[in-house]
Amino acid sequence: MNQQNEARILAIDYGEKRIGLAITDPLNIFAYPLITIENNKNLWTELEKIIRNYNVKKIILGNPLKESGAESRIFPLIKKFKEEVEKKFQLSVELVDERYSSIIAKKRIVESVSSRKKRREKGLLDKNSAAVLLEDYLREISIANK
């Protein structure tokens, strides 16, 4: 099978204004920040293109729990989004804890992006948070499979 056709995992960091996306490599070993898309009327078209172009087989969706483990204010929106994605694309969507993904992503951006102006790009944090989420997920399934 051609590597480009290998099924991949997509991570979504859902936000009311922007949605960060990260994708695995064709072998589902590494996670890469992909893109940040606006949460607007074009969302479903953009998401469909990405799912099709990257042959996405599974989606993980960040669930920003509170420090206590309780549901966050945005949880009802995330739950609704999850249900819509499952219905529209007939794909499994798994909610995963994303409590610290933004903090880790901010630290990585500071360490790897030298330009302060580039660090302030709004979408940079979103797609990098999705990548952190996906890395954690890949690590967990790798440990579970050993």
Side-chain angles (χ1 to χ4, degrees), residues 109-110 113-125:
I109 290 167
V110 167
V113 179
S114 58
S115 166
R116 284 188 177 166
K117 184 179 178 185
K118 284 187 179 179
R119 279 188 230 152
R120 286 193 292 269
E121 288 178 17
K122 293 182 180 185
L124 188 61
L125 180 61

Side-chain angles (χ1 to χ4, degrees), residues 3-17:
Q3 271 197 343
Q4 296 296 72
N5 293 329
E6 294 287 331
R8 300 183 190 211
I9 302 170
L10 178 71
I12 300 176
D13 181 31
Y14 181 88
E16 293 176 88
K17 293 182 181 178

Side-chain angles (χ1 to χ4, degrees), residues 18-140:
R18 290 177 310 279
I19 296 175
L21 303 174
I23 195 82
T24 60
D25 65 295
L27 299 175
N28 293 307
I29 297 171
F30 300 105
Y32 300 99
L34 183 61
I35 190 170
T36 298
I37 56 179
E38 297 297 317
N39 190 350
N40 60 25
K41 62 182 169 65
N42 300 322
L43 166 65
W44 298 112
T45 305
E46 296 282 330
L47 202 51
E48 181 179 14
K49 282 183 206 171
I50 290 164
I51 288 169
R52 189 177 53 245
N53 290 342
Y54 286 94
N55 194 23
V56 172
K57 68 173 178 182
K58 181 174 188 162
I59 296 174
I60 62 164
L61 175 59
N63 183 11
L65 298 170
K66 292 182 180 178
E67 191 71 31
S68 66
E71 292 176 355
S72 66
R73 172 196 63 79
I74 195 173
F75 180 73
L77 295 175
I78 289 172
K79 185 178 177 200
K80 181 179 180 213
F81 179 75
K82 174 187 184 291
E83 291 166 357
E84 287 183 47
V85 169
E86 288 172 331
K87 184 179 175 185
K88 286 181 187 296
F89 304 114
Q90 305 296 302
L91 287 171
S92 168
V93 178
E94 184 176 335
L95 286 174
V96 294
D97 184 356
E98 69 158 33
R99 274 182 269 197
Y100 304 107
S101 63
S102 292
I103 295 167
I104 295 166
K106 278 181 194 173
K107 184 178 179 199
R108 285 185 185 175
I109 290 167
V110 167
E111 292 171 353
S112 65
V113 179
S114 58
S115 166
R116 284 188 177 166
K117 184 179 178 185
K118 284 187 179 179
R119 279 188 230 152
R120 286 193 292 269
E121 288 178 17
K122 293 182 180 185
L124 188 61
L125 180 61
D126 300 314
K127 67 183 178 183
N128 278 281
S129 293
V132 169
L133 190 66
L134 189 51
E135 286 170 9
D136 288 347
Y137 178 80
L138 292 172
R139 191 176 310 111
E140 284 179 28

